[in-house]
Amino acid sequence: MCEVGEDYRAPAGQPPPRPGREQKCVKCKEGLPVVVIRAGDAFCRDCFKAFYVHKFRAVLGKNRLIFPGEKVLLAWSGGPSSSSMLWQVLEGLSRDSAKRLRFVPGVVYADEGAACGQSPEDRAKTVAEAKAGLAERRLPVVFSLPPSVLRCSAREPVGTEGAYKAAVDSFLQQQHALGEEQQSLPCPPRPPIRAGPPTAGQTEALSTLFSSVETLTAKEELLRTLRTHLILHVARTHGYSKVMMGDSCTRLAIKLMTSLALGRGPSSWSAGFSDERHGDVVVVRPMREHTLKEVAFYNRLFAVPSVFTPAVDTKAPEKASIHRLMEAFILRLQAQFPSTVSTVYRTSEKLVKAPRDGCAAGTPGPRCLLCMCVLDVDTADSATAFGAQTSSQLPQTQPPVAQAEAPTVSCCCTGMGAALSAFCSCREEDPRARVIEQLCYGCRVNMKDLPSLDPLPPYILAEAQLRSQRAEAEQIQEYLLEDREDEDARPGES
Amino acid sequence: MPAPQCASCRKARAALRRPRSGQALCGTCFCAAFEAEVLHTVVAGRLLPPGAVVAVGASGGKDSTVLAHVLRELAPRLAISLHLVAVDEGIGGYRDAALAAVRRQAARWELPLTVVAYAELFGGWTMDAVARSTAGSGRSRSCCTFCGVLRRRALEEGARRVGATHVVTGHNADDMAETVLMNFLRGDAGRLARGGGLGSPGEGGALPRCRPLQLASQKEVVLYAHFRRLDYFSEECVYAPEAFRGHARELLKLLEAARPSAVLDLVHSAERLALAPAARPPPPGACSRCGALASRALCQACALLDGLNRGRPRLAIGKGRGGLDEEGPPGRRGSQPSGPPASEPIPGF
């Protein structure tokens, strides 16, 4: 492969020599090898297990983010990687030695059947299977269902606000942030550990939302966003300060390339070890050094149970969405150039999102409503802003309200308006514009596939309303005179 | 069903739909819009100041033909003068035909043309000879690496000969997107961090380079060439099937089919890449042979040629470059720290 810095090796036509029958395990040199990882590294069963477990522990230990006694939520999707992660955690906890893992785990499983169009009976079956799989684990299990996200309309905006404050105030002291966060939130009544089945109305609301999305790409992105929100919400209400996601190396490489193609940039947030976008709850990825191949081998050799849950893109053709395309492409390329996945993965570690020109490192800008990334809105003279303008300057695609605006700065309704759009007259008339201008580039492109923002969960719309009111209040703040009798007190201001 | 009216002049029948916006336009209005957009790119980015002598890298292909034509139309407004610089890599059966096309264009547009040949600049090495040399050691795929580096050097040299102050190339938005994908797949963090933006200001004595067509999609470039009836050479290079860029190109085509704005999204992502502080390379110095910008003792072009001349063409491609600095028998001295790749003499694309 034309990889940068690649050593001169044998011509690409010849595959690496396959291990013969007489070959021993490369590590202990004694046992018979049962599995071949990478090119030609044959391991025996015990060495493989040791290698696998060691990698898991090393990732956790090197980063030192998980403190002893901390409550950690394990996000389990039923798939092989997260099942493997769950298994590792359980094994790690049960060791009777000083090397025991010392945090307090809980498991969350999000049932996404409604989004995928599964009938309630199928979903109940899947949930029962999942429960059975975990029955003997004796872990507190939270089965949360996406419609409950629609239910917590009053709570979620406060949660997001609390997180933002926590992010600004107590960046480094994560444990203290947990304490503050729990005190500052108005204590909601805790939902029962096993939430009841969702009402038909909520299920229908969710299906309406997902069927109104036009492309599979936007559907997957929306589902991902909602799932993240849900897991965070569960973590916050139950007092978990860390969430562990089971993304493997292969999955992360695909995610990286996908987010590049979706306009989210190198997205070191979603692929690094720790994701601190959400302030009080930190998302960590302990499986990030394991390739999918290793996970599969381990699960098979050591009988790790996993549950198959159909997803939005199950049985979808390869070209249906960007995610599928990228997955197929990378896996195909990996077959030809075995170092593809690790190269992409290592490259992402070297790159970061560039700060806006001259922006001080300490002051975080406004954050995207959906994905919590810093807003990377293009100013009017940036290259892609111009490219987007020429493509969106179009009477047909813009709503008629926006047509009156100056064509040089494209209106916030469909384009990438800058702060100037805050004073745009169409904003008050168009609630969609109000939401769109609080999103980052990647989320905006997704929203284009959503013809109407009404089916979005009420907590998102409420938070958008809150933020724009707050922004308005800040803008007029400097003009307000400090006169007690005439103090402008608009109702509903924070 | 008859074609709708042109959305811009509302007089003529529309002859095409713009790929990005779906707007229906007649031929004249489309060409005018295309030229206006290129003008805006140049002006807003302050790429070509008035009085600039601009060397246009002309390969005879659609991008450079369109670029030369558009710049020629805009030259009076921008107050720049143009020279065509064509590079003869010495690829038999391909480059000769392309050069003939360039010569015809130069004659038709009355623009001065300079041809620089690899054989003349690089001690007799043509691309065919390079390909033979690298094929002998088992990897003919790397001849595209040679061609890219040497061509930029040749273009720079040609521009200097005509006394140019700026160099322009015809890269379009699709090229940028492909490059981002390709560099990510190859693991070239250095080039990814440098690549965003509209061109390079020119460091270490290199001329400033820019890409006025950077925001135009490839389809629009082809449409423009069609409506202006431009004569260009449209065959693929003989060595292209072996290039790694082919994979990135195929991926981009698929992405574009799934989401039409994929190209723009990739360019947006690319604008925001920067190297993490830990991975930043040391500031570059000068090449000991030719004086161009280099992060090691020899710049990439000199290093590649050195390898070719010593009969070890892959000497400068790869991690162990310890043998570059000495004149004596080549021997790999210890391993170089495996950091970011050696920089090109001219900041890369």
Side-chain angles (χ1 to χ4, degrees):
Chain A
M1 173 173 162
C2 299
E3 191 187 335
V4 157
E6 185 192 350
D7 273 339
Y8 175 49
R9 265 192 233 130
Q14 301 167 15
R18 310 244 352 232
R21 273 183 197 275
E22 297 78 23
Q23 192 162 347
K24 297 287 183 196
C25 163
V26 299
K27 205 150 175 220
C28 62
K29 314 267 192 287
E30 286 171 357
L32 274 175
V34 296
V35 77
V36 177
I37 319 174
R38 300 191 284 253
D41 283 348
F43 283 86
C44 67
R45 195 187 158 98
D46 298 321
C47 289
F48 178 57
K49 179 165 184 161
F51 162 78
Y52 193 87
V53 174
H54 169 77
K55 237 201 243 190
F56 184 79
R57 306 297 295 269
V59 170
L60 283 180
K62 217 179 357 178
N63 286 284
R64 295 187 200 200
L65 271 180
I66 313 241
F67 299 99
E70 203 172 356
K71 287 180 81 173
V72 176
L73 190 63
L74 306 173
W76 183 64
S77 65
S81 303
S82 49
S83 304
S84 193
M85 178 181 75
L86 207 59
W87 190 264
Q88 292 297 314
V89 167
L90 289 172
E91 295 226 317
L93 286 172
S94 65
R95 265 193 218 188
D96 311 310
S97 67
K99 287 197 187 165
R100 204 159 58 99
L101 289 175
R102 285 174 297 192
F103 52 84
V104 179
V107 178
V108 65
Y109 170 74
D111 173 13
E112 295 164 4
C116 314
Q118 270 189 316
S119 68
E121 297 80 34
D122 288 336
R123 285 162 58 198
K125 196 160 61 112
T126 319
V127 170
E129 253 184 68
K131 278 190 198 174
L134 293 181
E136 66 265 26
R137 306 288 172 238
R138 289 184 305 276
L139 286 176
V141 181
V142 182
F143 278 94
S144 296
L145 309 168
S148 71
V149 156
L150 295 176
R151 197 195 313 154
C152 51
S153 54
R155 272 174 253 142
E156 193 58 36
V158 184
T160 327
E161 192 180 304
Y164 188 65
K165 283 197 194 126
V168 172
D169 298 341
S170 53
F171 215 67
L172 294 169
Q173 309 283 332
Q174 281 140 358
Q175 283 178 318
H176 294 277
L178 171 61
E180 273 174 33
E181 163 66 10
Q182 279 189 319
Q183 284 151 25
S184 64
L185 267 186
C187 215
R190 293 208 160 184
I193 295 252
R194 282 192 171 79
T199 66
Q202 289 171 339
T203 313
E204 199 179 305
L206 197 68
S207 339
T208 321
L209 172 60
F210 275 92
S211 48
S212 76
V213 180
E214 287 167 6
T215 59
L216 187 58
T217 310
K219 256 189 226 188
E220 289 198 35
E221 286 287 299
L222 190 62
L223 189 61
R224 232 165 257 220
T225 312
L226 289 179
R227 189 195 303 149
T228 315
H229 286 184
L230 179 65
I231 292 182
L232 285 176
H233 174 75
V234 167
R236 281 191 189 117
T237 47
H238 291 269
Y240 290 97
S241 58
K242 298 274 188 324
V243 175
M244 270 197 191
M245 299 270 194
D247 292 305
S248 62
C249 182
T250 314
R251 198 53 67 192
L252 282 178
I254 296 172
K255 225 187 209 184
L256 276 163
M257 295 293 293
T258 314
S259 62
L260 203 68
L262 290 170
R264 292 184 192 275
S267 194
S268 46
W269 289 126
S270 71
F273 175 69
S274 69
D275 178 354
E276 286 157 9
R277 267 179 291 174
H278 309 276
D280 54 336
V281 177
V282 180
V283 178
V284 298
R285 298 190 165 85
M287 299 290 289
R288 64 195 293 256
E289 307 263 334
H290 300 259
T291 62
L292 209 51
K293 193 173 174 188
E294 289 166 16
V295 170
F297 278 135
Y298 187 89
N299 287 5
R300 173 138 173 92
L301 286 176
F302 298 97
V304 174
S306 61
V307 175
F308 171 71
T309 47
V312 182
D313 62 346
T314 304
K315 285 198 188 171
E318 188 182 292
K319 302 198 180 159
S321 75
I322 303 249
H323 305 80
R324 292 284 275 176
L325 272 174
M326 202 53 90
E327 184 182 355
F329 178 78
I330 294 223
L331 293 176
R332 207 169 37 227
L333 206 62
Q334 173 82 4
Q336 212 180 337
F337 303 106
S339 56
T340 305
V341 165
S342 59
T343 304
V344 173
Y345 176 70
R346 274 184 289 115
T347 309
S348 75
E349 291 189 323
K350 293 187 200 162
L351 292 170
V352 290
K353 216 167 188 175
R356 296 295 297 152
D357 12 72
C359 187
T363 50
R367 299 210 163 212
C368 172
L369 183 65
L370 291 177
C371 66
M372 310 290 171
C373 291
V374 178
L375 280 186
D376 52 354
V377 176
D378 297 317
T379 52
D381 59 356
S382 135
T384 41
F386 179 65
Q389 275 171 32
T390 54
S391 63
S392 66
Q393 232 171 19
L394 182 59
Q396 291 97 287
T397 58
Q398 277 180 350
V401 189
Q403 224 169 335
E405 298 308 311
T408 44
V409 177
S410 82
C411 188
C412 45
C413 299
T414 49
M416 318 294 156
L420 297 171
S421 64
F423 293 100
C424 186
S425 62
C426 75
R427 202 170 124 264
E428 283 98 35
E429 299 155 30
D430 194 353
R432 187 190 171 98
R434 209 182 311 134
V435 177
I436 297 257
E437 74 181 7
Q438 292 175 24
L439 300 177
C440 65
Y441 183 95
C443 294
R444 284 186 201 197
V445 177
N446 277 332
M447 284 300 134
K448 278 192 194 150
D449 288 334
L450 219 69
S452 150
L453 292 186
D454 295 327
L456 276 182
Y459 75 93
I460 292 182
L461 298 172
E463 176 70 7
Q465 177 105 354
L466 198 65
R467 284 192 192 187
S468 64
Q469 280 179 351
R470 208 182 310 144
E472 270 178 47
E474 276 171 16
Q475 278 158 15
I476 61 170
Q477 201 58 42
E478 53 180 301
Y479 300 109
L480 289 178
L481 294 175
E482 279 293 305
D483 195 336
R484 288 288 159 199
E485 299 98 75
D486 296 344
E487 197 155 76
D488 197 16
R490 280 169 62 177
E493 284 291 282
S494 56
Chain B
M1 180 176 125
Q5 271 199 329
C6 169
S8 165
C9 64
R10 297 193 194 281
K11 279 184 282 192
R13 285 251 163 258
L16 68 118
R17 264 191 200 283
R18 289 196 81 170
R20 263 186 208 156
S21 55
Q23 216 180 6
L25 293 174
C26 66
T28 336
C29 292
F30 168 68
C31 293
F34 188 84
E35 284 163 16
E37 281 158 23
V38 176
L39 181 64
H40 178 101
T41 308
V42 172
V43 166
R46 287 185 284 271
L47 300 176
L48 301 174
V53 180
V54 177
V56 178
S59 63
K62 62 178 184 343
D63 295 322
S64 54
T65 306
V66 166
L67 175 69
H69 188 265
V70 171
L71 282 183
R72 190 168 154 271
E73 299 281 318
L74 297 176
R77 248 176 293 183
L78 291 171
I80 55 176
S81 60
L82 298 176
H83 287 259
L84 291 179
V85 176
V87 176
D88 177 9
E89 302 104 343
I91 301 178
Y94 164 72
R95 193 39 84 193
D96 328 321
L99 278 180
V102 180
R103 290 203 170 91
R104 284 196 301 271
Q105 289 162 10
R108 191 174 318 130
W109 295 330
E110 290 155 14
L111 288 175
L113 168 67
T114 312
V115 180
V116 281
Y118 277 13
E120 170 209 341
L121 285 178
F122 302 127
W125 282 104
T126 62
M127 272 319 292
D128 287 338
V130 171
R132 273 193 297 274
S133 170
T134 53
S137 55
R139 296 290 284 275
S140 60
R141 213 178 277 131
S142 59
C143 64
C144 294
T145 309
F146 283 86
C147 194
V149 174
L150 295 177
R151 190 182 325 116
R152 275 162 177 77
R153 171 55 64 81
L155 198 55
E156 182 91 5
E157 183 56 37
R160 253 183 243 286
R161 281 188 193 173
V162 301
T165 54
H166 292 74
V167 177
V168 299
T169 47
H171 294 100
N172 55 42
D174 291 46
D175 288 331
M176 295 273 312
E178 275 170 29
T179 303
V180 172
L181 286 173
M182 183 177 81
N183 282 335
F184 226 97
L185 291 170
R186 286 174 72 226
D188 200 337
R191 286 212 183 114
L192 279 169
R194 272 178 285 165
L198 279 172
S200 70
E203 307 147 0
L207 290 174
R209 291 150 78 214
C210 64
R211 305 178 280 259
L213 293 184
Q214 189 167 319
L215 303 172
S217 76
Q218 186 156 295
K219 293 181 182 148
E220 299 212 333
V221 170
V222 177
L223 281 169
Y224 185 88
H226 168 81
F227 279 103
R228 290 284 196 214
R229 295 195 187 82
L230 298 178
D231 156 38
Y232 61 87
F233 181 70
S234 58
E235 279 177 32
E236 200 183 44
C237 172
V238 174
Y239 299 110
E242 296 152 24
F244 188 69
R245 189 177 273 260
H247 294 283
R249 190 163 290 173
E250 170 205 332
L251 177 62
L252 187 68
K253 289 276 160 285
L254 292 171
L255 289 175
E256 215 174 345
R259 182 174 267 203
S261 64
V263 174
L264 269 183
D265 297 340
L266 273 168
V267 174
H268 176 94
S269 302
E271 277 189 340
R272 277 169 179 68
L273 293 174
L275 278 178
R280 258 180 222 143
C287 171
S288 52
R289 273 192 213 167
C290 63
L293 203 64
S295 61
R296 289 170 210 233
L298 286 180
C299 68
Q300 183 79 329
C302 291
L304 288 175
L305 288 169
D306 212 30
L308 282 174
N309 286 328
R310 287 204 222 170
R312 295 183 59 208
R314 291 194 57 84
L315 188 56
I317 305 176
K319 282 192 187 134
R321 291 180 218 196
L324 278 180
D325 301 335
E326 318 89 42
E327 298 299 322
R332 296 234 170 137
R333 297 262 184 94
S335 52
Q336 291 268 336
S338 58
S343 74
E344 293 184 341
I346 302 156
F349 172 39

